[in-house]
Amino acid sequence: MADVPGDFGFSDDHEILRDGARRFLEERCPIEEIRRLADDPVGHDPGVWKEMAELGWAGLTIPEAHGGAGLGNLHQALLLEEMGRRLLPSPYLGGALAALAIERAGDAAQQARWLPGIASGDTLASLGWLEPEGSWEPSDVKATARREGDTWVLSGTKAHVPCGADAALVVAPFVADGEIALFAIAGGFQAEAEVSIDPTRRTARLQFDGLAVPDDTRLSGGDLATWRTILLQSAAWLAAEMVGAAEATLGLTRDYAIDRKQFERQIGSFQAVKHPLVDDMIGIELARNHVYGAAAAFDAGETEAAETGARMAKAMASDVLARAVRHGVQFHGGYGFTLDCDMHFYFKRALFCRAMLGDAVHHRRHLAATLFGDTGA
Amino acid sequence: MSQAVEETESREIAEFRAEVRAWLAENRPPKPDFVMPQNFLFVETNEQFEYLRDWQAKVYEAGYLGLDWPAEYGGGGDTLKRQRIVTQETGRAGTPFFVNTIGLQWAGPVILKYGTEEQKKKFLKPILSAEEIWCQGFSEPGAGSDLASVQTRAEPAASGNGWTVNGHKVWTTIGTRAKWMILLARTDPDAGKYPGLSFFLMPMQVPGVEVLPLIKMTGEGGFNQVIFTDAAMPRGAMLGAPGQGWEVAMATLTFERGAAEGTGGGQATSSADTVQRAAKLASQTQRDGRPASEDPLLRDRLVQLWMQEEGLRLGGMRRRVPGLSPDRPMVLALMNKLVYSEYAQNLAELGCEILGPDAALWMGDPNAPADAEWPRAYMNSFGMTIGGGTSEIQRNILGERVLGLPKSK
Ligand SMILES: Cc1cc2nc3c(=O)[nH]c(=O)nc-3n(C[C@H](O)[C@H](O)[C@H](O)COP(=O)(O)OP(=O)(O)OC[C@H]3O[C@@H](n4cnc5c(N)ncnc54)[C@H](O)[C@@H]3O)c2cc1C
């Protein structure tokens, strides 16, 4: 698989974006802010969101013609990694995924209609990635779209929609005439906030009770294959955020292992603590290789390799983050078991992210079919 | 770099790659009719040795070894990039490994780094051509992971000319064939554990050097004990300065573990055990009456190894893009040996499991699949997780040097 450019397409402006993001987020998103927002009804800081939009992040990968920054997947991965490090509570992810879907599936007019609003940060958008049955398979869609005159009537439920209660625009799949079709829906649905396990990431359940929407809200290229690619690219992006979260987790545990003394020694000198942390670090680096590899392959238009890379990235990031937070709680001892310790935020983020866009077992099952060139066992 | 320059360069590289590929296709040696060792640690018989030595000499004469070493020492005076292409292509072609691996990958680079002009002129070319084989005398019965506790003594010779060596080295790979040894010995017993050590280029074929073969768990030979009894080492044998031995030894290990570049080239093993090969094996092997490739649990384990293999491959690329590892610049290099050796061990073990009952057949049995190459690879894989610093020691190094955790007592 010599399909990823040797340098991953990395350049100075990737570095500038990453370093700028790191500084900005360090300042705007300290852990005190996470604690404050965890109890906030909205769950994110609209002022920070406005600043992020001004920095051009809300439209990071949206083409310049539609008001975005026109940057690529590797930029996206590096930015999400920084956000993951800080557990940034933000409508960012949902908006980025909705924009991705509209870019991949929408025609020129549809892109021109919705992307500028997302890019400016004015339209809070999100992706209806799951239904209550919880299947990660792109073909498993129960919600339906029925033709009625020149409208579509949408029925069904979307679950775990990020920032779904605040979203003004949601892209989601429905079955229309027996085929998967993607719609961009600007309100009109009922949104009920879920109690998300992750206090830094709000979700909602969206109910479509025969909602009539105009014909041109159906994205013209939104078939099953496109939806599948959108979900895999989303998984690759989420994996980037997870690698960032895992890195921060490891950093906290490492610092504690240096500070904390028992038996007149720093606990980090015990190999029973040290070696698992080394394995976490190795896992993070390997997952990061996949995250950057998948991003570079998407940027190079190597879709098949990119999709394999996306699965590897999400599978590995899911396991690695889960392991890092597990060690994080364990190696903080009794303190790690409390709400006072910051670790629980990462722990909950890990549970959330693993459950979205396919967990490790899901992706590995698909990878096995790729490896053996069959349809799966 | 302007786009035009970039394009010509990559065209040049592509042409070079095609040239190497064509040369390898034309010149690869015929498959021998004797059992071949799986890597350089297990070279035993004369016919194995000669076959491998001829191959290395041929590759060197064709100009494909030591490409990045200076021309005045027998190298190609060319770029590391080209050497890497040769390494990739020999790996792809599955040609035999290079028998003088210790010379190419440890001794050579460290002589280039610390050697005098005279030492470089004398030693480097015969390393590349495999005329002079090198071994490594670091470990001792009492000094393995705790390498700095070596007790072998090098004292100024009574004659006033050179050194006298006494001591006991062990696990000395390819010691019976070696003309030279990189030797870590104690020159000043009063100077303390680390400063008391010096590094030498020791002749092996002199009186007072006794090489006693050891047998590995597979029944193969390849490593030895080396007993020094008043063995004479000439003047000028020291590499670096007196008391600098530990530093030079650490530099050697950096090359050995693949954490630094500039190592004459060539792969050290030719058993191309990849996940693809194991997948093929699974497709061809029956398990409880069905192809093993249909077993979901085996599939999942193989995929986990595939993710490692791909992760390692991508890591090799990412290593060359420092901007993508700003926070831990050394990590990819330092973790490589550990991750690779454990991956290879797990893969070889999984190969045995895929074989099912046939994994119980050993070399020489007519029904042993591929003469038991998977069980043999599994046993041999411990050479990599123990040799060159055990996996546990690698984890200590990563934890302390990269993560900054306190030293384990
Ligand atoms: C195939 C092969 C080829 C070799 N070739 C050469 C060669 O050519 N030249 C040469 O000089 N040497 C060679 N070696 C030796 C090799 O470098 C040593 O075997 C290795 O460094 C381990 O030393 P030891 O065998 O004394 O094991 P020990 O150091 O006794 O270790 C025994 C066990 O204890 C563990 N352990 C030790 N210290 C620690 C610690 N601080 N923390 C946690 N665990 C620890 C080890 O990981 C290991 O599992 C070779 C070894 C092999 C297997």
Side-chain angles (χ1 to χ4, degrees):
Chain A
M1 289 212 277
D3 26 44
V4 176
D7 61 358
F8 295 79
F10 183 78
S11 65
D12 289 349
D13 59 283
H14 289 98
E15 196 150 349
I16 291 165
L17 174 72
R18 179 189 55 214
D19 296 352
R22 189 171 294 186
R23 276 193 305 274
F24 176 85
L25 294 167
E26 247 165 39
E27 213 166 276
R28 295 294 191 283
C29 193
I31 195 74
E32 300 75 42
E33 196 53 15
I34 301 277
R35 289 193 174 274
R36 184 181 71 78
L37 290 169
D39 298 324
D40 179 84
V42 178
H44 71 93
D45 182 337
V48 172
W49 174 239
K50 191 150 174 286
E51 281 184 277
M52 285 166 57
E54 279 157 13
L55 286 167
W57 295 357
L60 193 79
T61 61
I62 293 175
E64 283 168 299
H66 298 307
L71 298 176
N73 285 269
L74 188 61
H75 289 98
Q76 182 70 278
L78 292 168
L79 179 58
L80 278 164
E81 194 179 330
E82 295 306 320
M83 293 181 178
R85 259 177 214 263
R86 291 274 151 196
L87 297 181
L88 175 75
S90 175
Y92 180 80
L93 182 70
L97 301 187
L100 168 67
I102 292 168
E103 268 176 73
R104 283 212 173 260
D107 61 25
Q110 290 170 324
Q111 296 194 19
R113 180 165 154 206
W114 289 304
L115 293 179
I118 300 178
S120 68
D122 294 333
T123 309
L124 281 197
S126 192
L127 189 70
W129 51 21
L130 281 170
E131 294 192 350
E133 288 75 15
S135 170
W136 293 303
E137 291 297 339
S139 55
D140 275 346
V141 174
K142 292 227 163 56
T144 57
R146 190 167 38 81
R147 204 74 171 115
E148 224 178 81
D150 52 5
T151 64
W152 289 96
V153 177
L154 306 180
S155 306
T157 309
K158 300 293 169 185
H160 312 292
V161 181
C163 282
D166 304 315
L169 180 73
V170 169
V171 178
F174 292 81
V175 179
D177 301 328
E179 308 274 344
I180 296 282
L182 298 182
F183 286 81
I185 311 129
F189 44 78
Q190 329 254 319
E192 196 179 322
E194 295 171 333
V195 183
S196 169
I197 193 159
D198 178 359
T200 66
R201 180 149 279 162
R202 302 300 164 85
T203 59
R205 186 174 273 228
L206 310 186
Q207 199 69 47
F208 298 85
D209 293 325
L211 173 67
V213 295
D215 189 35
D216 61 3
T217 59
R218 175 175 175 171
L219 301 180
S220 57
D223 58 3
L224 175 59
T226 309
W227 177 230
R228 184 174 162 279
T229 301
I230 292 166
L231 286 178
L232 286 172
Q233 198 168 351
S234 301
W237 289 4
L238 185 59
E241 196 199 72
M242 295 166 79
V243 163
E247 184 67 58
T249 304
L250 175 63
L252 284 178
T253 316
R254 167 203 177 269
D255 291 349
Y256 192 74
I258 291 172
D259 282 352
R260 174 73 176 166
K261 285 199 176 127
Q262 283 295 283
F263 301 97
E264 295 88 44
R265 302 159 71 174
Q266 294 161 288
I267 58 167
S269 69
F270 296 119
Q271 290 179 354
V273 172
K274 179 182 289 176
H275 290 189
L277 294 183
V278 167
D279 288 337
D280 292 345
M281 173 177 75
I282 288 172
I284 288 170
E285 293 299 346
L286 289 174
R288 195 177 261 136
N289 290 345
H290 288 301
V291 164
Y292 296 165
F298 275 118
D299 282 339
E302 300 274 356
T303 310
E304 209 173 305
E307 292 185 0
T308 297
R311 290 196 189 282
M312 290 191 176
K314 180 62 169 64
M316 209 175 243
S318 294
D319 278 351
V320 160
L321 177 56
R323 224 169 51 201
V325 296
R326 202 178 155 141
H327 292 146
V329 170
Q330 183 70 20
F331 296 154
H332 277 78
Y335 172 53
F337 189 55
T338 68
L339 270 182
D340 282 342
C341 178
D342 299 332
M343 194 47 72
H344 76 97
F345 287 114
Y346 293 88
F347 196 95
K348 292 166 185 172
R349 176 63 76 89
L351 282 173
F352 180 90
C353 288
R354 174 162 69 188
M356 297 299 130
L357 295 166
D359 67 3
V361 171
H362 167 87
H363 287 296
R364 293 205 304 260
R365 189 164 46 73
H366 281 281
L367 286 166
T370 305
L371 178 63
F372 285 98
D374 58 23
T375 54
Chain B
M1 223 189 305
S2 78
Q3 196 154 358
V5 174
E6 226 168 59
E7 269 167 25
T8 13
E9 186 171 285
S10 57
R11 181 148 23 88
E12 246 182 71
I13 290 292
E15 276 168 16
F16 181 65
R17 189 185 291 283
E19 174 199 311
V20 175
R21 202 173 284 187
W23 187 89
L24 288 171
E26 183 121 329
N27 291 282
R28 65 179 310 148
K31 222 176 148 53
D33 54 10
F34 45 86
V35 176
M36 278 290 285
Q38 287 180 322
N39 64 46
F40 79 98
L41 299 168
F42 306 97
V43 180
E44 195 175 11
T45 65
N46 286 336
E47 53 187 358
Q48 289 173 340
F49 178 68
E50 294 304 336
Y51 176 93
L52 288 164
R53 171 144 72 182
D54 288 350
W55 170 242
Q56 184 179 330
K58 190 166 179 178
V59 176
Y60 173 61
E61 276 154 30
Y64 294 138
L65 258 185
L67 256 80
D68 55 316
W69 289 6
E72 62 263 42
Y73 310 132
D78 204 329
T79 60
L80 185 57
K81 192 163 186 174
R82 282 174 173 249
Q83 187 62 63
R84 257 190 239 129
I85 286 173
V86 176
T87 306
Q88 285 162 9
E89 290 303 318
T90 49
R92 183 196 304 257
T95 47
F97 57 85
F98 297 122
V99 68
N100 205 12
T101 292
I102 294 181
L104 288 169
Q105 301 200 9
W106 338 165
V110 92
I111 290 170
L112 265 172
K113 187 164 176 185
Y114 291 98
T116 60
E117 190 57 27
E118 204 184 330
Q119 288 170 328
K120 291 184 207 172
K121 284 231 162 72
K122 176 170 176 178
F123 291 118
L124 292 174
K125 183 160 183 271
I127 286 179
L128 292 169
S129 65
E131 254 163 281
E132 295 180 359
I133 302 297
W134 283 71
C135 69
Q136 178 187 38
F138 282 18
S139 307
E140 296 178 4
S145 298
D146 184 12
L147 178 60
S149 63
V150 296
Q151 295 304 328
T152 293
R153 282 278 277 136
E155 290 163 284
S159 65
N161 197 357
W163 306 81
T164 305
V165 183
N166 280 289
H168 185 174
K169 293 290 174 181
V170 73
W171 321 126
T172 317
T173 298
I174 209 157
T176 52
R177 311 277 171 184
K179 174 138 193 218
W180 302 100
M181 168 189 270
I182 42 177
L183 170 69
L184 185 62
R186 196 157 292 283
T187 41
D188 186 349
D190 304 322
K193 190 168 174 181
Y194 300 92
L197 296 171
S198 300
F199 198 102
F200 295 96
L201 309 174
M202 165 82 191
M204 289 292 285
Q205 293 156 7
V206 296
V209 179
E210 209 183 340
V211 183
L212 307 170
L214 292 164
I215 311 291
K216 295 173 176 161
M217 66 190 291
T218 58
E220 293 166 277
F223 60 14
N224 308 273
Q225 312 199 52
V226 178
I227 315 281
F228 298 107
T229 317
D230 292 332
M233 188 160 58
R235 211 200 339 231
M238 189 182 286
L239 186 68
Q244 204 186 2
W246 184 248
E247 178 191 329
V248 183
M250 287 303 100
T252 312
L253 290 178
T254 310
F255 289 114
E256 174 171 353
R257 293 168 186 159
E261 296 199 278
T263 58
Q267 85 276 27
T269 107
S270 52
S271 48
D273 293 327
T274 61
V275 164
Q276 289 293 343
R277 273 191 74 222
K280 198 164 154 215
L281 181 73
S283 304
Q284 295 165 347
T285 307
Q286 292 287 307
R287 184 177 187 81
D288 295 336
R290 279 170 44 201
S293 56
E294 289 176 13
D295 185 308
L297 298 180
L298 286 183
R299 288 163 73 92
D300 190 52
R301 287 173 56 198
L302 203 49
V303 164
Q304 298 198 36
L305 292 172
W306 186 28
M307 287 167 43
Q308 297 258 317
E309 189 177 279
E310 264 297 287
L312 280 163
R313 183 183 72 88
L314 290 164
M317 290 162 53
R318 195 180 132 212
R319 247 171 99 169
R320 313 199 200 299
V321 190
L324 285 175
S325 302
D327 300 324
R328 283 196 284 261
M330 280 308 287
V331 70
L332 291 170
L334 287 175
M335 70 188 230
N336 194 58
K337 188 247 180 198
L338 172 63
V339 180
Y340 178 78
S341 62
E342 294 194 339
Y343 146 84
Q345 190 158 83
N346 289 328
L347 183 62
E349 184 180 28
L350 185 55
C352 298
E353 292 183 70
I354 290 170
L355 284 175
D358 281 350
L361 292 174
W362 187 234
M363 293 168 78
D365 187 285
N367 293 313
D371 205 22
E373 68 168 337
W374 288 97
R376 193 170 151 224
Y378 179 40
M379 293 184 204
N380 280 341
S381 72
F382 286 83
M384 298 291 185
T385 54
I386 296 171
T390 67
S391 297
E392 292 71 34
I393 296 299
Q394 300 304 309
R395 285 191 168 82
N396 283 348
I397 292 174
L398 286 160
E400 288 157 25
R401 297 242 299 269
V402 183
L403 270 181
L405 291 170
K407 270 195 160 321
S408 300
K409 302 232 167 76

